[in-house]
Amino acid sequence: METGTIVVTFVPFTIDILSDERRIFSINSLGCMKYEQTRIKKAKGVVGSILSWATSPFRSAATENSEPLDEEEEDETDAGEEMFHTHKDSKPNGPTSVGLDITFAGYKHVYGIPEHADTLVLKSTHDTEPYRLYNLDVFEYELYNPMALYGSVPLMIGHNTQQTVGLLWLNAAETWIDIDYSTSDAGSVARLSGLTEENSEFPVVNTHWFSESGIIDAFFFMGPTSSDVFLQYSSLTGTTPLPPLFSLGYHQSRWNYIDEEDIANLDHEFDEHNIPVDVLWLDIEHTDGKRYFTWDSHKFRHPEEMLQNVSRKARKMVTSVDPHLKRDKQYSVYSEAQSLGYLIVDRDGNEYEGWCWPGSSSWLDFTNPAIEKFWAEKFQFTQYKGSTKDLFTWNDMNEPSVFNGPEITMHKDAKHFNGWEHRDLHNVFGLYVHRASVNGQLLRSDNCCRPFVLARSFFAGSQRYGAVWTGDNAADWGHLKISLSMMMSLNLVGMTFSGADIGGFFKNPDEELLTRWYQAGAFQPFFRAHAHLDTRRREPWLQSAVHLAAIREAIVIRYRLLLYWYLLFFKAERSGGPIMKPLWVEFPSDSETFTIEDEHMVGSALLVHPVTEPKALNVSVFMPGSDEVWYDFNSFQLYSGNQTLNVPVNLLKIPLFYRGGFILPLRERVRRSSTIAPDDPVSLFVTLSREGNSKGELFFDDFHSFAYQKGHYIHREFRLHKGSHFTSRNLNPSGSFKTSAWIERIYILGLQTHPTSVILSVAGSDSVRLDSSFSHEDKLFIIRKPGVNIATDFDMVIE
């Protein structure tokens, strides 16, 4: 067991955190700890002292001035106010920033701090702007840029072959992070570590964190494994609750499906072309003049009937419910909020007014607990007229987006509950909106049904409330490629239920790009196609036959694997770990995986390398693990690990591989939607390890309620030993969930010889010889109709 030590030095002030006598973190070793004191403005100037930034070791432009400014100097610099273009920030407390340097000792790679459209491994900012965390409405964002985007999770993870560690900078104000990769001979870490000349190349990552306001509140996670870090972080901020199964299926959206007839046709076309789908989405145009919780009375005259028609196929719908309110006295949500004093106010105490989709708008102050309850009640069927239990929610624009505000967001000196300035809590505002909407869905179901709410803006802890996505991307190959590193970064910091708009929100993808995006998106946790109002319709059946076939196949693979996805989310709720994993999470000692960002794991059993280049004829796939074996998803060809393969591809080919040693639950009967036949049979796909062993699990419940939290679920463990003894055992012996679902087939991949018999044994019944077949070419052994209920213990001998 590793032991930890904290060493505090008072002059100069530093803190060093050691693990088994190895220095892991050094705090303030570069002397960047600074804070600016709150000051009270007077008629002239500002009284009190100010501590400004020290000369930064990360850049040469900074200057040091730690001397107090006298009143005359303060007047001249006007430090109490700031202009951003035409927007004035009154800064009633003066500058109030805080900062600190933290060094990762012994590390060459750090990850996390999303959201940025950038590489998986965080880059040095020595010659660029720092990484910025400030939730903003940024459309068609630039790639490979440290600029701020829609969400902020100030968690950084360091990984090397010996240990994984994490650092959470818990501050919701605008935050910047400088990163400098260096070696020990560059500064004080070498001296503090007592390293000899021979260790002069000891790597370090110097980071400098500074926030506009708030306090220094840092948490250090010592691992030592990545699984430990994920669990430690999630014990503080929470995990993603198990979502309802339908939300893991395919979602079809665009801005906007125009009316009830359009929705009916959309619903019909999926059936006509034999494509499964679970959720149909309506963007802002479905409302009465962008008044949320309403319907356009001409285009959606019978919303409840429309929803019931969609629900007949066990499909759901989602409508956008944004946090800005149209300033209209006849709009009941706004007028009631105004009369109760529930709206954010400006620096002068007047109702804050800005511009958003409805035109002149105001914003509810979601930081007020009473307002959270007020908002939640709006989801009640008696208040959201025309809604049903199968209608779910999309919180867009929750940064908040203010079209005529500074940087398209709210003024920093706007006032919230208990006098907090917006600058103090900006990055957490979207979380409050997300939480209030989730509470609304819980309220309407009397806490019986799991909610589904998608939000664009997020902060550390938003994972507790559901799904997020990467915002307004564009239909180009670069945005497809960057979505992989963005998704992996989000998963590393706990935002497991995340995705990117399939096809790109802006612009019109050609058929190849659209097809490749579906093939990539089918292996990301949240799987939704979405498009801008001005784009051409791009539903799958509008593509040529060959592209339609490829898109349909990608969606069908998603549905065949849906029980595996469901299992991964069940386990992630307990562990806080990622679902879409960088390779290094599964192969922590393989340094070659540390920078790979064009392929990823889905759980522990699947490796996928999406095609992200146009007209690709082949892709280079790294197969990790010197002791691993891998199987091509389609051809079943066997490959050894620790090599790079040149994999030929065509339009239908997704470079996807089974990892040897695992057992995956499959649904072979792909229906119109995920839950239309919940008791359909289950098949098991078994891939042998090099030693001939395999293991896997199945999680099964009612797919929608919270009963699983009371133990009402089936959780099975399957094992195959030496290719000959298959067992099914109960991992939830106190569970009481019942189902008629049974095991239809068992596929075993990797046997070298044809078994002669399969004998099934179930306690209390006679042993049964099962029908089977073997392909010498594929080395695929198929056991047909074991016929046992999925909740039954059984043994199977393969001779």
Side-chain angles (χ1 to χ4, degrees):
M1 180 177 179
E2 297 200 0
T3 58
T5 306
I6 298 176
V7 179
V8 179
T9 304
F10 289 94
V11 181
F13 176 68
T14 58
I15 301 175
D16 295 294
I17 304 176
L18 290 76
S19 176
D20 279 353
E21 300 184 353
R22 289 183 293 111
R23 196 171 309 278
I24 304 299
F25 292 107
S26 287
I27 302 166
N28 199 42
S29 62
L30 301 177
C32 293
M33 181 177 181
K34 298 290 179 181
Y35 59 91
E36 296 180 302
Q37 298 173 353
T38 299
R39 293 160 295 157
I40 302 171
K41 293 179 70 172
K42 290 190 174 182
K44 273 187 144 188
V46 184
V47 298
S49 65
I50 174 172
L51 290 175
S52 62
W53 295 111
T55 301
S56 172
F58 301 86
R59 56 192 66 252
S60 59
T63 59
E64 182 175 4
N65 182 359
S66 58
E67 294 298 320
L69 297 175
D70 62 32
E71 193 168 305
E72 183 177 351
E73 288 176 317
E74 192 72 39
D75 282 344
E76 289 176 359
T77 58
D78 200 18
E81 295 180 354
E82 187 176 7
M83 294 296 296
F84 183 85
H85 299 306
T86 60
H87 302 284
K88 178 181 177 181
D89 181 0
S90 62
K91 290 193 174 179
N93 298 315
T96 55
S97 59
V98 296
L100 182 65
D101 66 271
I102 300 169
T103 295
F104 290 72
Y107 291 84
K108 295 181 180 179
H109 305 92
V110 289
Y111 309 85
I113 60 168
E115 185 178 34
H116 302 97
D118 210 345
T119 54
L120 175 63
V121 179
L122 296 171
K123 296 184 295 193
S124 171
T125 62
H126 191 275
D127 298 315
T128 67
E129 290 290 312
Y131 283 95
R132 188 186 187 201
L133 296 178
Y134 191 61
N135 296 355
L136 293 173
D137 181 355
V138 185
F139 60 90
E140 206 171 339
Y141 41 82
E142 298 177 22
L143 305 184
Y144 304 104
N145 192 308
M147 66 187 285
L149 290 178
Y150 309 92
S152 299
V153 182
L155 172 67
M156 186 178 289
I157 294 172
H159 176 72
N160 60 27
T161 56
Q162 295 178 297
Q163 188 166 357
T164 307
V165 296
L167 159 64
L168 174 65
W169 177 267
L170 191 56
N171 190 310
E174 178 182 2
T175 296
W176 300 76
I177 305 104
D178 257 322
I179 299 172
D180 184 45
Y181 292 90
S182 186
T183 52
S184 61
D185 58 5
S188 57
V189 173
R191 296 191 297 275
L192 288 169
S193 300
L195 297 171
T196 66
E197 296 255 348
E198 315 173 300
N199 298 63
S200 61
E201 293 305 308
F202 184 78
V204 296
V205 184
N206 296 314
T207 67
H208 184 198
W209 302 69
F210 41 108
S211 297
E212 184 182 5
S213 66
I215 62 173
I216 294 174
D217 195 9
F219 297 80
F220 297 87
F221 309 109
M222 300 304 293
T225 69
S226 61
S227 296
D228 293 326
V229 170
F230 302 140
L231 189 60
Q232 290 155 7
Y233 171 72
S234 64
S235 70
L236 183 68
T237 64
T239 64
T240 300
L242 179 66
L245 183 67
F246 78 81
S247 65
L248 303 183
Y250 174 59
H251 300 244
Q252 183 66 50
S253 179
R254 74 170 282 112
W255 178 22
N256 203 87
Y257 292 113
I258 58 177
D259 54 25
E260 292 172 355
E261 183 181 2
D262 204 4
I263 288 293
N265 289 336
L266 184 70
D267 189 43
H268 169 75
E269 291 290 350
F270 276 102
D271 297 335
E272 186 71 16
H273 293 88
N274 198 26
I275 300 172
V277 66
D278 264 271
V279 192
L280 308 180
W281 290 57
L282 288 174
D283 209 324
I284 54 177
E285 307 302 329
H286 80 279
T287 62
D288 175 14
K290 316 301 187 299
R291 298 169 179 86
Y292 304 108
F293 303 104
T294 71
W295 302 87
D296 184 311
S297 59
H298 300 289
K299 297 177 180 178
F300 296 92
R301 300 176 65 182
H302 309 99
E304 193 168 352
E305 181 180 337
M306 173 188 68
L307 284 158
Q308 289 168 350
N309 289 336
V310 170
S311 298
R312 288 193 181 98
K313 299 168 187 173
R315 291 173 179 156
K316 318 295 180 184
M317 291 192 70
V318 165
T319 53
S320 57
V321 180
D322 294 351
H324 48 265
L325 302 180
K326 184 178 179 66
R327 290 166 58 89
D328 174 6
K329 294 284 190 181
Q330 303 307 309
Y331 175 34
S332 61
V333 180
Y334 168 74
S335 60
E336 186 180 354
Q338 186 187 51
S339 67
L340 292 169
Y342 283 176
L343 300 170
I344 296 172
V345 298
D346 63 20
R347 59 176 173 261
D348 298 319
N350 302 314
E351 182 179 317
Y352 182 87
E353 179 184 4
W355 205 258
C356 208
W357 294 125
S360 179
S361 303
S362 292
W363 279 258
L364 284 165
D365 184 1
F366 287 89
T367 67
N368 183 339
I371 295 173
E372 187 168 303
K373 182 175 182 292
F374 168 86
W375 182 259
E377 289 172 346
K378 300 306 170 192
F379 290 88
Q380 295 276 46
F381 301 129
T382 55
Q383 297 203 44
Y384 192 174
K385 303 289 188 181
S387 67
T388 72
K389 65 180 179 60
D390 291 319
L391 181 64
F392 295 86
T393 305
W394 174 15
N395 289 154
D396 201 357
M397 319 299 283
N398 61 321
E399 292 76 25
S401 177
V402 182
F403 292 162
N404 61 337
E407 297 191 90
I408 318 180
T409 193
M410 188 167 285
H411 292 72
K412 290 181 177 180
D413 56 3
K415 294 292 184 65
H416 288 266
F417 182 62
N418 281 339
W420 288 101
E421 284 190 282
H422 187 71
R423 80 178 76 251
D424 302 318
L425 52 83
H426 173 83
N427 286 344
V428 80
F429 182 83
L431 179 151
Y432 282 110
V433 178
H434 201 177
R435 183 173 72 180
S437 296
V438 166
N439 286 340
Q441 289 189 13
L442 292 173
L443 181 65
R444 78 176 188 185
S445 74
D446 197 22
N447 291 301
C448 290
C449 298
R450 291 175 234 165
F452 172 74
V453 180
L454 176 72
R456 188 170 70 177
S457 182
F458 52 86
F459 188 66
S462 286
Q463 66 269 16
R464 300 196 303 273
Y465 308 112
V468 301
W469 91 108
T470 61
D472 297 345
N473 57 1
D476 65 52
W477 290 92
H479 276 264
L480 167 58
K481 187 173 184 177
I482 205 73
S483 70
L484 304 181
S485 58
M486 293 179 75
M487 288 300 98
M488 284 186 273
S489 293
L490 287 169
N491 270 255
L492 285 174
V493 302
M495 303 300 299
T496 51
F497 202 2
S498 50
D501 286 345
I502 304 300
F505 179 65
F506 287 106
K507 303 181 182 178
N508 295 297
D510 60 33
E511 287 188 312
E512 183 190 11
L513 174 58
L514 182 63
T515 300
R516 293 303 191 193
W517 216 316
Y518 270 98
Q519 292 172 339
F523 298 95
Q524 296 174 0
F526 178 56
F527 185 29
R528 181 186 75 153
H530 186 50
H532 188 272
L533 183 70
D534 295 331
T535 61
R536 295 191 298 269
R537 289 285 180 108
R538 59 171 84 148
E539 287 71 28
W541 49 87
L542 299 178
Q543 315 310 311
S544 62
V546 64
H547 289 89
L548 170 58
I551 292 170
R552 181 195 292 116
E553 179 63 16
I555 297 174
V556 166
I557 290 173
R558 173 67 169 222
Y559 277 81
R560 290 187 66 208
L561 292 170
L562 211 54
L563 287 179
Y564 177 60
W565 282 99
Y566 197 58
L567 169 68
L568 295 179
F569 272 93
F570 169 72
K571 298 177 77 171
E573 181 179 12
R574 296 180 168 191
S575 70
I579 290 173
M580 182 176 170
K581 303 179 182 181
L583 267 59
W584 66 259
V585 174
E586 284 292 311
F587 303 94
S589 61
D590 187 345
S591 58
E592 195 162 348
T593 66
F594 294 179
T595 59
I596 292 177
E597 60 183 11
D598 55 1
E599 58 189 74
H600 62 88
M601 301 294 296
V602 178
S604 298
L606 293 174
L607 184 150
V608 61
H609 184 121
V611 179
T612 58
E613 301 289 341
K615 298 180 173 55
L617 299 177
N618 53 71
V619 295
S620 293
V621 181
F622 179 68
M623 314 297 292
S626 57
D627 297 326
E628 301 286 340
V629 291
W630 302 87
Y631 301 87
D632 184 279
F633 186 82
N634 298 113
S635 70
F636 304 141
Q637 184 172 347
L638 172 68
Y639 299 98
S640 295
N642 197 30
Q643 65 169 318
T644 299
L645 301 177
N646 187 36
V647 179
V649 295
N650 55 35
L651 190 65
L652 289 171
K653 174 70 173 178
I654 305 171
L656 176 64
F657 301 87
Y658 294 109
R659 183 180 178 185
F662 287 85
I663 301 174
L664 279 71
L666 302 177
R667 275 267 172 84
E668 297 192 83
R669 304 182 188 186
V670 176
R671 306 288 191 174
R672 293 175 174 179
S673 61
S674 64
T675 57
I676 199 168
D679 294 323
D680 267 354
V682 176
S683 293
L684 302 175
F685 200 92
V686 183
T687 60
L688 296 184
S689 69
R690 192 179 295 276
E691 297 76 27
N693 301 322
S694 302
K695 63 180 179 179
E697 298 173 30
L698 169 68
F699 175 81
F700 202 97
D701 69 345
D702 63 19
F703 302 128
H704 69 88
S705 80
F706 289 105
Y708 78 97
Q709 294 181 346
K710 299 176 182 178
H712 301 305
Y713 61 87
I714 294 167
H715 190 193
R716 307 296 302 182
E717 181 187 65
F718 306 106
R719 286 184 178 267
L720 178 61
H721 180 65
K722 298 298 182 182
S724 62
H725 185 201
F726 192 100
T727 59
S728 173
R729 295 291 180 263
N730 193 355
L731 295 180
N732 183 32
S734 62
S736 58
F737 185 77
K738 305 293 184 184
T739 177
S740 59
W742 52 282
I743 296 179
E744 186 169 27
R745 292 185 184 89
I746 298 176
Y747 299 86
I748 302 177
L749 186 57
L751 290 173
Q752 298 304 305
T753 58
H754 184 181
T756 57
S757 69
V758 180
I759 306 298
L760 173 70
S761 299
V762 178
S765 301
D766 294 335
S767 297
V768 177
R769 182 181 295 270
L770 300 178
D771 183 33
S772 63
S773 64
F774 181 71
S775 167
H776 289 277
E777 180 180 359
D778 297 333
K779 301 294 188 292
L780 180 66
F781 184 56
I782 304 175
I783 303 170
R784 293 182 174 84
K785 293 187 178 179
V788 294
N789 187 281
I790 62 169
T792 302
D793 286 358
F794 67 85
D795 287 79
M796 188 182 297
V797 177
I798 302 168
E799 297 179 343

